[in-house]
């Protein structure tokens, strides 16, 4: 392998000529070679957003939805045309997105401080907007468990200023909630975290990972209850945001606010060993696995959308 400086790349909206291997793909541990494609390039698919978040793949429509939080819109990138169009505006400063077991879009909204579901006919159902009579802070990211329950974090960045929502006073602690699929009622399942952010389950749902700013915590799942919370990895000198597991149980993490050589996507083994990094020239907020084989990372990083094919595959359900 040619030694190149990690992340040393010219980036533009055209397909820049890159000498393989792409220096944006850094092998830290030899195990990472089996998870990436040697002759593959990290592409910038689109730029022109303000703070992009919440990518979610729709294989049935061959498109990706993602949030542009400060611009109060959700965008749609088409795999068919390569074009980006506005999907929803206003979006109530939407942030994290996922799909439920019926394929319906589930969205965290900052402005309205709620979690919603978009029905197949396009109408919007509010899943949760308050707890014990008080408004949520500002839901950030969301995942659906195979039992149909909706899990989301409520750190409240969306009410700390007017940039990503409306400034307001926080009225409840920063919980991780679980909305029961039968009753529709949401209750805190994790308390005491500083700023819960991205979250995902391991394959088989034996573990739950939750980002808490500068580190990622892991919980064992005891039935439907997360227990034995502990630090999985520290993200110093930066921090994490969105996270996903692949089918082998590796944990992929958005990495941001660490500067060049850090920002991008990091991949960890189930034991917490750093395997490799995808370097980006912008702070990374979130990503998801998409494409027909779920082997393509779609990455929202500051103002731009990136993608890279991998040999890892996302879990079947978002
Ligand atoms: Mg987030």
């Amino acid at each position: 392998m040619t030694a190149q400086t990690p992340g040393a790349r010219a980036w533009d909206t055209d397909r820049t000529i890159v000498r393989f291997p792409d220096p944006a793909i850094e092998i830290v541990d030899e195990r990472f070679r089996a998870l990436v494609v040697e002759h593959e390039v990290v592409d910038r698919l689109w730029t022109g957003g303000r703070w992009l978040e919440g990518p979610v793949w729709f294989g049935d429509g061959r498109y990706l939805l993602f949030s542009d939080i400060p611009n109060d819109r959700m965008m749609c990138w088409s795999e068919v045309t390569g074009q980006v169009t506005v999907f929803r505006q206003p979006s109530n400063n939407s942030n994290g997105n996922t799909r439920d077991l019926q394929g319906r879009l589930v969205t965290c909204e900052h402005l309205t401080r709620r979690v919603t579901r978009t029905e197949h006919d396009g109408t919007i159902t509010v899943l949760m907007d308050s707890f014990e009579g008080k408004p949520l802070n500002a839901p950030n990211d969301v995942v659906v468990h195979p039992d149909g329950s909706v899990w989301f974090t409520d750190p409240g960045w969306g009410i700390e200023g007017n940039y990503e929502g409306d400034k307001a006073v926080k009225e409840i602690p920063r919980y991780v909630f679980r909305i029961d699929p039968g009753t529709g009622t949401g209750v805190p399942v994790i308390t005491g975290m500083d700023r819960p952010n991205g979250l995902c389950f391991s394959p088989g749902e034996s573990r739950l990972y939750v980002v808490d700013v500068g580190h990622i915590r892991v919980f064992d799942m005891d039935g439907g209850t997360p227990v034995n919370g502990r630090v999985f990895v520290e993200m110093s000198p930066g921090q994490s945001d969105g996270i996903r597991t692949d089918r082998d149980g590796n944990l992929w993490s958005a990495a941001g606010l660490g500067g060049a050589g850090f920002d991008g996507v990091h991949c960890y083994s189930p034991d917490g060993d750093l395997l490799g990094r995808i370097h980006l020239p912008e702070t990374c907020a979130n990503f998801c696995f998409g494409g027909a084989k779920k082997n393509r990372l779609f990455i929202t990083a500051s103002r731009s959308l990136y993608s890279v094919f991998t040999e890892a595959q996302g879990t079947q359900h978002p």
Side-chain angles (χ1 to χ4, degrees), residues 53-54 95-96 140-141 153 155 157 197-198 240-242 285-286:
E53 251 283 6
N95 187 338
N140 186 292
D141 214 343
T153 56
W157 276 294
N197 194 337
S240 183
D241 195 330
N286 214 332

Side-chain angles (χ1 to χ4, degrees), residues 44 46-47 255-256 263-264 280-285 301-306:
R44 178 186 274 165
W46 179 77
T47 192
D263 291 352
L280 297 175
E282 299 180 76
T283 274
C284 180
S302 301
R303 296 174 176 236
S304 306
L305 175 68
Y306 296 85

Side-chain angles (χ1 to χ4, degrees), residues 41-258:
V41 172
V42 181
D43 281 320
R44 178 186 274 165
L45 298 178
W46 179 77
T47 192
R50 189 155 290 279
W51 178 241
L52 304 181
E53 251 283 6
V56 57
W57 177 249
F58 284 71
D60 42 354
R62 296 183 63 190
Y63 58 83
L64 180 89
L65 298 183
F66 55 99
S67 298
D68 184 358
I69 304 176
N71 281 327
D72 196 20
R73 60 183 182 172
M74 287 181 67
M75 311 301 288
C76 177
W77 174 84
S78 168
E79 186 185 39
V80 179
T81 67
Q83 299 301 304
V84 171
T85 53
V86 175
F87 170 77
R88 174 182 293 170
Q89 188 173 30
S91 63
N92 299 320
N93 301 111
S94 67
N95 187 338
N97 296 287
T98 192
R99 301 179 75 181
D100 71 6
L101 303 185
Q102 289 74 44
R104 296 171 294 192
L105 173 66
V106 177
T107 299
C108 296
E109 299 178 0
H110 280 179
L111 184 72
T112 35
R113 303 166 72 170
R114 65 187 189 178
V115 178
T116 64
R117 180 177 67 217
T118 302
E119 308 295 345
H120 289 130
D121 65 4
T123 57
I124 290 177
T125 300
V126 178
L127 298 183
M128 186 168 177
D129 60 4
S130 63
F131 176 64
E132 295 182 335
K134 296 176 180 174
L136 299 177
N137 297 319
N140 186 292
D141 214 343
V142 60
V143 66
V144 174
H145 187 280
D147 69 6
S149 56
V150 176
W151 297 57
F152 70 95
T153 56
D154 187 35
W157 276 294
I159 59 171
E160 293 191 355
N162 289 309
Y163 186 63
E164 296 190 10
D166 277 349
K167 189 171 184 177
V169 175
K170 181 171 75 71
E171 297 186 43
I172 61 173
R174 301 180 175 104
Y175 293 135
V176 179
F177 285 98
R178 174 189 185 274
I179 303 175
D180 186 84
T183 65
T185 301
V187 297
V189 284
I190 298 174
T191 60
M193 289 184 72
D194 183 15
R195 297 261 189 173
N197 194 337
L199 74 172
C200 69
F201 291 100
S202 64
E205 295 74 42
S206 59
R207 286 178 166 187
L208 171 69
Y209 296 93
V210 186
V211 171
D212 198 358
V213 193
H215 62 264
I216 303 171
R217 298 185 72 80
V218 61
F219 299 79
D220 299 318
M221 290 295 289
D222 182 7
T225 305
V227 298
N228 193 27
R230 58 206 182 270
V231 173
F232 178 68
V233 293
E234 296 284 355
M235 292 293 290
S236 176
Q239 63 187 48
S240 183
D241 195 330
I243 51 175
R244 316 274 172 173
T245 49
D246 63 28
R247 293 178 194 180
D248 296 322
N250 301 303
L251 190 281
W252 298 67
S253 165
L257 300 178

Side-chain angles (χ1 to χ4, degrees), residues 9 11 14-16 22 40-45 296 305-308:
R9 271 270 306 273
W11 299 88
D14 300 322
R15 285 187 65 88
T16 307
D22 185 346
E40 169 60 351
V41 172
V42 181
D43 281 320
R44 178 186 274 165
L45 298 178
R296 189 177 187 182
L305 175 68
Y306 296 85
S307 86
V308 60

